[in-house]
Amino acid sequence: MQYANEKLKEEKVFKDPVHRYIHVHDQVIWDLIATKEFQRLRRIHQLGTTYLVFHGAEHSRFNHSLGVYEIVRRIIDDSFSGRPQWNDSERLVTLCAALLHDLGHGPFSHAFEKVFDLDHEYYTQQILLGDTEVNAVLRRVDEGFPRKVADVIGKTYPDKLVVSLISSQIDADRMDYLQRDAYFTGVSYGHFDMERILRVMRPAEDQAVIKMSGMHAVEDYIMSRYQMYWQVYFHPVSRSAEVILVKILQRAKFLSEEGYTFKQDPVHFRSFFGKSIDLQEYLDLDEYILMTYFQMWEKEDDEILADLCDRFINRRLFQYIDFNPAREYRKLGELEMLFRKAGIDPDYYLVVDSSSDLPYDFYRPGEEEERLPIHLLMPDGELRELSRESDIVDAISGKRRTDHKLYFPENLLREGRKKKVFRQQILDILGRTEGRE
Amino acid sequence: MLREHAKIVQFVSMANGVTGRKKLQKMIYIAKKMDFPFQEKYELHIYGPYSEELTLRVEELCEMGFLDEAQEDKGSYMQYSYEVTEEGSRFIRDTGDAPSGLGDCIVRMKEKSSRFLELVSTLLYFDHLPKEEQIANLHIVKNKLNFSEAEIEDAFSFMEELSGCIRQ
């Protein structure tokens, strides 16, 4: 029997708190899960620094990747199979892409990508195509198979329906992370009737569409997403931890460029501090390694690096105030100057962080928007864009919500003994004068 | 602080205004790919590389009163254009000189249509691949735009031209 079609002698299941069970029938999927690159995902938090706010959020990209695989498996095997618009020869490539879509995430994904200007999608493709265990499994299917999976991830796969299952405004990735993140953070948002959505999802030419009868389940999904973004993903305290994380990495990079001698040679960062990043070094760096460095850097002579690492490890985060860049950018300039006078480097200790989300968007031909809309399949076979049918979705379509915060280390401003006058002025401007909260 | 905002204002100022959100997105992306120091993160969307961060930044700059956004009803869609306000000009006064070659690149990009810049930026998105694969991917992701061979060759020549004006 060809490896591509080989089934396990007995179905294997993973117990999962979100989907109850994750079912594996295919030998290829089983072998991919056992590769070291996939196992590495156990060492990368799904929600980055959020565990510092919601202590349950310790789940990993490993859990999530299995969840996305399970949703796609159910869409294909239960909803699409046997329908004329679905080509069953795409089954394996779709399942593999679902399972492997997050393979290229680095430790604390977003902060890491920001500092080193990386793109996890690019690294996912490099892992699929490079000298890796994952590549060896995929090549057993067919020499060209790793390329096919990489094309789905890179959105350059010719069958756009396949791409849309993993990347669109209603895809398996979002459906898993909303429910999983809600479960692990313990919030009551994020839940929606996925069973219903899967039952009414149908294959169409370029994307999966939803039968009109499932519109309310989709409305619920969009509202869940909206609430999760504002209650969990953009939580100001986890953003504070992320700000510090970014500053640690920026400081370490800066010190390396300046020729600073670290007490322990940061060998794992060599290629990140340099110009070109080696794939093996990329894979070697996970959150366990990063946290080990942070513990070592806590004892570095460089005061900024040591302080930032202490803050991150021991959760001594920056405080924040609401900040409106449009009205208050002059205040920012003044604060920057006062920070310097007070002997505190504003490049590391005064940070504006902005979060923004567009819960749902659509475009019509000729318009300049950029997202593929969700389409409803009407009883007569016509496709209609969701916001034209749903008043609820129409009310939030294309409406971006943005939140700006200004982060600063209040304890450093209060406790510093030197240049107290400037520190007090800063606290006054920030509205943090003693006795005022 | 707000350095990245200042770079965008400086860019629009050097372009003497930009018409079209898509055009602005693609111009900044192309400049970034030409190694000019823009930090906005891009992903592949319907019209090619697109940056949510840039969209947000431009919105903020309009709110700050540094950029002026004008809308024009084109019948089936709205077209947006951006110009730097007096306040914006004051804001970038102390930003320092723009990187050498950027002005020349901007002038050349501005002369081109949005469709052409969409083509160039999409090819650049795949610039880690051999030329044939770049073109093959372009045809997959832009199958409805039917770019001709001549247009694609023009796009590659244009990239060469831009690289040339940076080296000067």
Side-chain angles (χ1 to χ4, degrees), chain A residues 329 336 350 367 400 404, chain B residues 1 47 52 60 66 87:
Chain A
Y329 74 93
E336 242 183 35
L350 185 66
E367 285 190 354
R400 189 183 307 278
H404 308 278
Chain B
M1 208 61 69
Y47 294 118
E52 192 82 24
E60 284 171 8
F66 296 159
E87 180 90 8

Side-chain angles (χ1 to χ4, degrees), chain A residues 180-299:
Chain A
R180 191 167 300 279
D181 297 344
Y183 175 87
F184 282 99
T185 52
V187 300
S188 56
Y189 323 101
H191 303 288
F192 59 93
D193 191 352
M194 187 181 78
E195 298 302 315
R196 179 80 185 137
I197 292 179
L198 296 191
R199 284 183 70 85
V200 295
M201 193 177 258
R202 294 288 179 268
E205 190 192 342
D206 277 353
Q207 65 179 134
V209 298
I210 308 290
K211 281 173 69 180
M212 178 61 190
S213 58
M215 184 180 81
H216 298 299
V218 179
E219 287 174 343
D220 197 20
Y221 155 83
I222 287 174
M223 294 313 289
S224 298
R225 185 181 175 281
Y226 174 81
Q227 287 164 332
M228 282 297 282
Y229 267 79
W230 290 101
Q231 296 299 322
V232 176
Y233 304 138
F234 294 160
H235 194 289
V237 180
S238 56
R239 279 160 61 195
S240 173
E242 185 142 323
V243 160
I244 293 173
L245 189 57
V246 166
K247 294 297 164 190
I248 291 173
L249 295 172
Q250 280 176 351
R251 184 66 183 174
K253 186 168 183 255
F254 169 80
L255 290 173
S256 167
E257 285 164 0
E258 293 294 299
Y260 175 86
T261 308
F262 290 87
K263 288 181 178 170
Q264 297 281 340
D265 186 8
V267 281
H268 289 86
F269 287 90
R270 234 175 247 155
S271 74
F272 294 92
F273 291 158
K275 290 253 174 202
S276 69
I277 293 165
D278 175 78
L279 181 59
Q280 195 48 54
E281 283 188 32
Y282 188 90
L283 285 165
D284 285 345
L285 203 58
D286 57 37
E287 288 176 11
Y288 292 11
I289 301 277
L290 212 63
M291 290 300 278
T292 307
Y293 273 98
F294 291 176
Q295 291 212 340
M296 291 193 294
W297 290 346
E298 234 185 311
K299 295 168 185 68

Side-chain angles (χ1 to χ4, degrees), chain A residues 295-322:
Chain A
Q295 291 212 340
M296 291 193 294
W297 290 346
E298 234 185 311
K299 295 168 185 68
E300 276 295 343
D301 293 333
D302 180 74
E303 282 180 20
I304 293 177
L305 184 63
D307 175 65
L308 293 171
C309 288
D310 167 61
R311 286 176 184 280
F312 189 76
I313 288 174
N314 301 310
R315 202 189 178 279
R316 292 167 187 154
L317 305 178
F318 288 173
Q319 281 63 49
Y320 61 89
I321 54 169
D322 285 328

Side-chain angles (χ1 to χ4, degrees), chain A residues 413-435:
Chain A
L413 294 166
R414 289 204 189 285
E415 293 158 16
R417 288 189 197 140
K418 295 177 196 163
K419 303 175 180 173
K420 271 203 126 174
V421 179
F422 298 122
R423 288 167 197 253
Q424 191 53 53
Q425 279 183 39
I426 293 169
L427 288 166
D428 289 344
I429 292 175
L430 292 170
R432 310 294 279 201
T433 312
E434 203 78 89

